[in-house]
Amino acid sequence: MSYISQVLENIKAKENQAEFLQAVEEVLSSLGPVVEEKEELYKKYAILERLTEPDRQIIFRVAWTDDLGNTQVNKGYRVQFNNALGPYKGGLRFHPTVNLSVMKFLAFEQTFKNSLTSLPMGGAKGGSDFDPRGKSDGEIMRFCQSFMTELYRHIGAQTDVPAGDLGVGAKEIGYLFGAYKRIIGAYENGVITGKGLSYGGSLIRPEATGFGAVYFLREIMKGQGEEIKGKTFILSGYGNVTWGSCLKINELGGKVVTLSGHDGFIYDEEGVKGEKVEFLEEMRAKRLGIKAYADKYGVPFYPNQKPWGKIKGDVVMPCATQNEIDIEDAKAIVQMGIKYVVEVANMPTKNDALKYLVEKGVILAPSKAANAGGVAVSGLEMSQNSLKLAWTKEEVDEKLSNIMVNIHNQILAVCQKYNLGYDLVRGANIAGFEKVAEAMIAEGVY
Ligand code: GLU
C-alpha cells in the first residue's frame, strides 16, 4: 500500500469527522507525484501523519447573559493546526453548524492556503456554535467579551492571529479586540485582523477575498485568451465574499446575475450592480434573507433552491459555505456548459463533484488558491501593524493582485514540474504542501 493510502486508512479508522476527513482525503489524494519522489524522506519525518494531526485543539465554554437576563452557554473553539511557516493564522466563525470537524477542516485548509500566499503565516481556525442571527447588539458584544475571556490566553501577534469568517465581521472583531486589550492591558493590535480602519485595520481588507478571487480568475482567463469583460457570473451567498466579488466583477465589465441565502436564490437579469451591491451590506448587517433583495428590486426569487444549473452563464462562483455543490449540481453545471468554477467559499464542492467537474474539463479554481486574497490582506494588515503605519488603497490592492498572480505562477510551475497539465486543484495542493513539508523537516521533529 502506498504511503498516502496507508496514512488515509489510519485516519479513517481513528476519526469520524466528516468534513475533516473530506478535506484530508482531497489534499492527500492529490499529493501522489511529490510524495512518490520524496517518499523516504517524508516517511522518516512522518510528514503526512504530522500534517493531519493539529498541533493543538482548544475547546471551551462560553457563557453569556442574554437581554432577558438569562444565562446562555455555547461552545468555543480554536484549532491551531500548524505553525511551520509562521504564527497560527485564520478566522473565527460564529454559526450554528460549527463543530470540531468543521473547525479542523478549516484549519487544515488554512495551512495550505496561507502557504500559497507566501506570507509568514501558519494555519488555524476558531469560532463558536453561537448564532448571531436574531441577537441584539448588546448580546453580540457580551458574547464576544466572554469568548475572548478564554481565547486571549491562546493568542498573540507572534503566536496566533485570529480574524473574521462567517458571522464575524467588523463589529464582532471590534468587540473581540476591545475585550483582548482590556484583559492584557496593552494596545497590541497585531493580535487580530479585519479591524476597523480607526484602530489598525487595512484598506481593502473587507474587499480582499472577492477581489483576490477575481484577480485569480483573470490570470486563468489570460491563459485561455479570455477576459472578465462580457462574462456572466452565477454567484451564491450575499455576505462579505459575494459583495467583494460583485464589486470587482462589475469594475472589470462582467455581470453577476444570481445571489443566494439560506432561504433560496434570486435571478437578476440586469445584473447586481450600483446601489444593489451596497444593499448587500445592509442585508448582511440586518442578517436578512435573500428574499429581501427580490422584494426590493422586483426580480424572480426561487425559494429553497440553489442557482447551480438553473441559470446560464460563463462562470460559477460558490461564495457561501462548505459543500454547496454536490454531484447532482456538478452534473447540472456541466450540462449548462459552464467553463469556469471558482471556489470562493472554503471547500464548497464535495469531493465526488470536484472530481466530476475536473474530469469533464471544467476549469476549477480551488478555494485554497482562489480565496487566499482575504488572508493575504490579513497578512498585510499584520505587516502594517508591525511597521506602525498604514498603506494606501492602491498599495494594498497592488500587493494583493501580485500575490494572486504569484499563486497562479506557483501552481503553473508545479503543474509543469509534475506533468499535471493545467490541473489547478492538484497544483495548488502540491504547491501549498511542499513549503510546509520543507519547513517541518528543517524545524525538526516535535
Ligand atoms: N476566514 C478567512 C479565510 O477563510 C480569512 C482568514 C484570515 O484573514 O485570517 O481565509
Side-chain angles (χ1 to χ4, degrees):
M1 202 191 294
S2 76
Y3 177 35
I4 291 177
S5 317
Q6 214 175 303
V7 173
L8 264 177
E9 296 271 291
N10 274 340
I11 300 174
K12 282 190 196 155
K14 277 193 299 192
E15 314 261 7
N16 58 1
Q17 296 161 329
E19 292 83 0
F20 178 57
L21 286 176
Q22 180 184 337
V24 167
E25 187 152 16
E26 196 271 313
V27 171
L28 260 53
S29 62
S30 63
L31 298 180
V34 56
V35 171
E36 270 162 36
E37 193 183 86
K38 297 190 179 144
E39 177 154 337
E40 232 172 280
L41 183 71
Y42 288 160
K43 263 188 168 167
K44 175 165 179 229
Y45 289 102
I47 287 297
L48 297 184
E49 292 88 335
R50 286 162 63 213
L51 245 179
T52 47
E53 183 68 41
D55 287 359
R56 203 167 292 106
Q57 305 169 58
I58 302 146
I59 306 181
F60 50 99
R61 183 185 67 237
V62 187
W64 54 283
T65 308
D66 68 20
D67 286 346
L68 299 173
N70 296 320
T71 303
Q72 302 287 344
V73 181
N74 286 99
K75 274 185 187 298
Y77 300 89
R78 187 71 179 165
V79 174
Q80 298 177 330
F81 215 103
N82 187 292
N83 67 352
L85 301 183
Y88 300 108
K89 178 82 194 87
L92 299 171
R93 175 177 290 193
F94 292 170
H95 196 270
T97 54
V98 163
N99 57 36
L100 188 57
S101 171
V102 170
M103 294 285 97
K104 280 174 70 179
F105 113 65
L106 287 165
F108 178 74
E109 292 274 303
Q110 197 82 43
T111 303
F112 303 102
K113 183 195 316 194
N114 293 1
S115 162
L116 284 171
T117 67
S118 298
L119 296 172
M121 301 184 289
K125 203 81 182 193
S128 173
D129 58 358
F130 173 75
D131 186 357
R133 206 181 313 154
K135 302 294 189 298
S136 72
D137 224 34
E139 288 175 325
I140 290 178
M141 183 178 76
R142 291 192 295 280
F143 175 82
C144 289
Q145 290 173 338
S146 178
F147 185 85
M148 190 51 86
T149 305
E150 174 58 33
L151 187 70
Y152 89 94
R153 71 187 81 244
H154 308 290
I155 60 175
Q158 310 300 331
T159 46
D160 183 354
V161 183
D165 195 80
L166 297 184
V168 179
K171 177 160 73 179
E172 291 76 17
I173 294 291
Y175 294 148
L176 289 162
F177 173 61
Y180 180 81
K181 182 164 62 93
R182 182 144 196 238
I183 295 166
I184 68 153
Y187 201 97
E188 292 174 8
N189 61 5
V191 70
I192 196 162
T193 62
K195 298 182 291 293
L197 287 179
S198 56
Y199 59 100
S202 174
L203 287 161
I204 306 285
R205 177 63 189 87
E207 295 88 350
T209 311
F211 277 23
V214 180
Y215 292 150
F216 191 70
L217 175 65
R218 186 170 61 180
E219 274 313 288
I220 294 175
M221 282 185 166
K222 262 189 209 161
Q224 305 292 312
E226 292 196 294
E227 54 179 13
I228 308 275
K229 197 169 168 203
K231 299 281 184 302
T232 300
F233 288 74
I234 319 284
L235 267 61
S236 62
Y238 68 89
N240 166 265
V241 170
T242 307
W243 166 80
S245 303
C246 285
L247 286 175
K248 191 49 80 178
I249 291 166
N250 289 338
E251 188 192 317
L252 299 180
K255 182 161 90 166
V256 176
V257 294
T258 66
L259 301 169
S260 74
H262 60 276
D263 51 343
F265 82 93
I266 59 100
Y267 172 54
D268 188 344
E269 203 183 347
E270 297 293 304
V272 180
K273 54 186 180 210
E275 66 138 275
K276 296 180 193 168
V277 183
E278 280 160 41
F279 183 58
L280 298 188
E281 290 186 86
E282 189 182 325
M283 285 170 51
R284 179 153 49 103
K286 295 187 179 153
R287 303 186 204 270
L288 302 171
I290 197 65
K291 186 170 176 295
Y293 184 101
D295 291 344
K296 189 167 162 87
Y297 298 111
V299 300
F301 170 61
Y302 300 84
N304 304 318
Q305 290 184 52
K306 299 184 272 188
W308 321 132
K310 311 247 168 48
I311 307 289
K312 271 201 176 342
D314 305 291
V315 185
V316 154
M317 284 176 61
C319 297
T321 192
Q322 66 265 15
N323 293 331
E324 295 181 54
I325 297 181
D326 61 22
I327 185 73
E328 295 311 319
D329 299 324
K331 286 181 182 161
I333 286 170
V334 169
Q335 196 109 47
M336 274 283 176
I338 303 279
K339 183 164 176 189
Y340 305 95
V341 172
V342 183
E343 294 188 327
V344 200
N346 286 313
M347 200 172 77
T349 316
K350 291 195 167 169
N351 286 352
D352 53 352
L354 189 81
K355 207 166 153 237
Y356 181 85
L357 289 169
V358 173
E359 270 170 17
K360 293 289 171 191
V362 172
I363 298 183
L364 195 136
S367 48
K368 279 179 206 77
N371 79 17
V375 74
V377 175
S378 274
L380 300 178
E381 183 173 332
M382 290 160 72
S383 311
Q384 293 169 81
N385 294 154
S386 301
L387 293 165
K388 297 194 190 302
L389 52 77
W391 293 327
T392 63
K393 217 158 132 181
E394 290 71 26
E395 281 174 299
V396 179
D397 199 25
E398 196 193 336
K399 286 182 172 44
L400 168 62
S401 164
N402 289 341
I403 289 171
M404 299 314 294
V405 171
N406 179 257
I407 293 177
H408 189 255
N409 288 342
Q410 289 174 62
I411 296 176
L412 282 187
V414 162
C415 286
Q416 218 160 30
K417 181 170 170 199
Y418 295 106
N419 278 322
L420 303 177
Y422 189 56
D423 185 342
L424 296 163
V425 176
R426 283 202 288 171
N429 283 334
I430 294 177
F433 164 82
E434 277 188 315
K435 278 189 248 177
V436 180
E438 189 187 317
M440 285 173 75
I441 292 168
E443 291 170 15
V445 175
Y446 61 90

